[in-house]
Amino acid sequence: MEQLKIDLFQAYFDARRNKRNTVNQLRFEIDFEHQLFELYQQLTDRTYTITQSITFIVNNPVKREIFAADFRDRIIHHLIYNYINPIIDLQLISGCYSCRTGKGTLHGIHQMYGFMAACSQNYTRDCHVLKLDIRGYFMAINKQLLWNKLLQMIQALTTEDTPGMEKANLLWLIDLVLWNDPTLSCTIKGRKSDWNGLPTTKSLFNNPKDCGLPIGNLTSQLFSNVYLHDFDRYVKNELGVEYYGRYVDDFVLIHPDKEFLLEAKIKIKSYLLEHCRLELHPNKVYLQHYQKGFAFLGAYIKPHRIYIGNRTKQKFMEAIDQTNAVLSQGAPDKDELKSIRSVVNSYLGIMKHYKTYNIRKKCLLSKKHPPLIFKYGYLKSIPHQSMVYKPRI
């Protein structure tokens, strides 16, 4: 059981990454060793219970209901992830891009770009792109089906894979997290009117108890991959689609024959309904010739080039405008300059992967409305990092 203590500490360090300034994390960190040993005891004697989540609405990029677990419960989510993800990840297809180390959004974009080039034989023959989406995916996930699929994928787990916990205890913990209903005990952040306009298919408050995973939990992201794993294999192996990729509920098929894709859409609709109890979104079907390109994971993929998505481009422009508004009120202090550097460099870091020279030039080197950031810093070219903003601090 000493190994469990080590694993809990690792899960704690994983959970606090990028969360070091949140109230829940700071409160936990005051006495984190005592609290981790308390968690250890609760896991050992199976008295661990899940505490309240905080729920709120986000409107960007689309309106969504988020459940933020207490930091203590986030540690448990990371513990589960660290135990079972290695064996699950080995079974997932290479075209599954969500919640995977080294196979995230950028990997997915470049793989799809390569798929389009390969299917069209380097843009010398016709091929077509079919993009589909699942209606209210997270809310529609059936927990019993998910549990069965999860057991199937982790049945090969041994004590070597989870040295800190017996398999029976781990399954008890996963079952507890999976079947927890956060709507029964949660704190609403904001106003109830924030939910106005949110479709009922996108809220756990309107769901049957045996369906739906909270958006915002690490385990929900992992479980969403498990739920559609059999579907991925169906598309690849039974439908015979070589060029296929999926990010959560957004998936793309590329094939030389347009009629094949139309038939595949009908078969996919039937499979999802019968085996996963899911529905395709009727208004999110895209079928076009590859030369017109397609949007995927915040980028727009076309022959010979990849562009940044319009949403990211617009947010970068808005960030520059907001920075100008702040700087126009007077000279910034050191902390404000650090914040400006972080914002500008985060966008420059994203854009270096795409054809964005003209966009960066328009935003940062505009003669008509030059950003005020250049009064306090400069752009510098750094090997392997393209261009970064360096404030004079």
Side-chain angles (χ1 to χ4, degrees):
M1 283 300 180
E2 286 300 314
Q3 183 62 43
L4 178 56
K5 295 178 183 177
I6 297 172
D7 296 340
L8 269 173
F9 270 85
Q10 182 58 57
Y12 162 69
F13 291 127
D14 293 339
R16 80 175 189 178
R17 192 180 299 126
N18 301 323
K19 296 289 181 183
R20 302 224 51 185
N21 293 324
T22 62
V23 174
N24 279 339
Q25 192 278 326
L26 292 172
R27 188 184 297 120
F28 190 95
E29 191 166 358
I30 292 172
D31 193 18
F32 75 94
E33 289 187 351
H34 171 76
Q35 298 211 54
L36 287 175
F37 282 119
E38 191 175 75
L39 266 180
Y40 163 78
Q41 191 60 49
Q42 291 173 356
L43 292 176
T44 303
D45 56 23
R46 293 194 182 187
T47 57
Y48 165 75
T49 56
I50 298 171
T51 50
Q52 280 190 341
S53 294
I54 297 174
T55 182
F56 53 92
I57 295 292
V58 296
N59 293 292
N60 193 13
V62 295
K63 194 160 192 170
R64 282 197 184 97
E65 175 186 84
I66 305 295
F67 281 86
D70 187 79
F71 185 76
R72 172 177 170 274
D73 298 322
R74 286 177 182 271
I75 295 172
I76 298 300
H77 296 166
H78 278 272
L79 182 72
I80 292 172
Y81 178 88
N82 291 343
Y83 278 148
I84 69 174
N85 181 62
I87 196 167
I88 288 174
D89 193 72
L90 288 174
Q91 299 174 64
L92 297 176
I93 66 168
S94 64
C96 176
Y97 310 124
S98 171
C99 197
R100 301 183 73 188
T101 302
K103 295 182 180 179
T105 56
L106 186 61
H107 171 78
I109 291 165
H110 284 284
Q111 187 172 64
M112 275 296 157
Y113 177 70
F115 281 170
M116 187 169 69
C119 188
S120 63
Q121 293 184 356
N122 203 24
Y123 315 117
T124 60
R125 75 168 184 178
D126 287 337
C127 75
H128 294 80
V129 179
L130 174 64
K131 254 188 71 177
L132 299 170
D133 192 282
I134 296 171
R135 189 202 296 267
Y137 177 50
F138 276 96
M139 302 304 125
I141 289 175
N142 182 280
K143 292 184 178 182
Q144 187 58 57
L145 278 179
L146 172 58
W147 178 243
N148 295 339
K149 293 171 184 286
L150 191 58
L151 287 178
Q152 184 180 7
M153 290 191 75
I154 64 174
Q155 62 181 342
L157 275 176
T158 65
T159 52
E160 292 182 2
D161 301 309
T162 61
M165 289 188 78
E166 294 181 0
K167 188 173 180 178
N169 272 12
L170 179 58
L171 292 178
W172 162 78
L173 185 61
I174 296 171
D175 182 77
L176 186 68
V177 171
L178 173 62
W179 287 97
N180 175 61
D181 184 355
T183 64
L184 299 179
S185 177
C186 65
T187 301
I188 294 178
K189 182 180 178 181
R191 300 184 297 268
K192 288 188 177 180
S193 60
D194 293 342
W195 272 255
N196 294 345
L198 182 72
T200 55
T201 57
K202 292 189 175 183
S203 174
L204 281 179
F205 290 101
N206 301 305
N207 258 25
K209 291 183 178 180
D210 61 343
C211 288
L213 298 179
I215 297 176
N217 287 357
L218 176 64
T219 48
S220 296
Q221 298 176 52
L222 179 61
F223 293 163
S224 72
N225 283 344
V226 170
Y227 198 72
L228 286 180
H229 171 59
D230 289 337
F231 169 72
D232 291 338
R233 294 195 302 179
Y234 168 76
V235 174
K236 294 281 290 182
N237 301 332
E238 296 191 36
L239 293 185
V241 181
E242 182 179 359
Y243 305 112
Y244 164 79
R246 176 178 65 83
Y247 185 87
V248 191
D249 60 344
D250 187 9
F251 50 97
V252 178
L253 297 78
I254 304 177
H255 196 274
D257 188 352
K258 183 178 180 180
E259 292 303 318
F260 174 90
L261 290 176
L262 287 171
E263 292 179 10
K265 174 180 170 289
I266 296 171
K267 293 176 181 177
I268 285 171
K269 181 179 180 181
S270 176
Y271 181 94
L272 287 173
L273 195 60
E274 180 180 354
H275 297 278
C276 306
R277 302 182 192 177
L278 299 172
E279 295 181 22
L280 285 180
H281 200 298
N283 301 327
K284 294 184 178 180
V285 178
Y286 177 93
L287 178 58
Q288 291 288 354
H289 193 273
Y290 80 91
Q291 288 184 339
K292 294 188 176 180
F294 62 99
F296 190 59
L297 303 182
Y300 202 86
I301 302 171
K302 297 198 75 173
H304 303 291
R305 59 210 185 274
I306 305 173
Y307 294 119
I308 197 74
N310 287 333
R311 183 181 294 155
T312 305
K313 178 175 69 175
Q314 184 62 36
K315 287 176 69 176
F316 182 41
M317 292 178 175
E318 290 173 0
I320 294 296
D321 289 341
Q322 291 170 4
T323 300
N324 275 349
V326 171
L327 294 180
S328 65
Q329 298 176 7
D333 59 26
K334 187 175 180 179
D335 289 336
E336 287 174 326
L337 277 175
K338 285 183 177 179
S339 177
I340 291 169
R341 177 182 62 187
S342 298
V343 171
V344 174
N345 285 339
S346 66
Y347 281 106
L348 290 177
I350 293 170
M351 290 183 169
K352 75 176 183 178
H353 298 288
Y354 312 108
K355 301 290 185 180
T356 58
Y357 174 79
N358 288 333
I359 296 172
R360 285 177 286 166
K361 183 177 178 181
K362 181 179 179 181
C363 290
L364 296 175
L365 303 176
S366 171
K367 293 181 180 179
K368 202 169 185 180
H369 301 289
L372 295 178
I373 57 173
F374 294 115
K375 287 179 64 177
Y376 309 99
Y378 55 94
L379 292 175
K380 182 176 180 180
S381 180
I382 295 180
H384 310 299
Q385 293 187 35
S386 185
M387 186 183 294
V388 298
Y389 174 68
K390 303 281 287 186
R392 298 184 183 94
I393 53 176

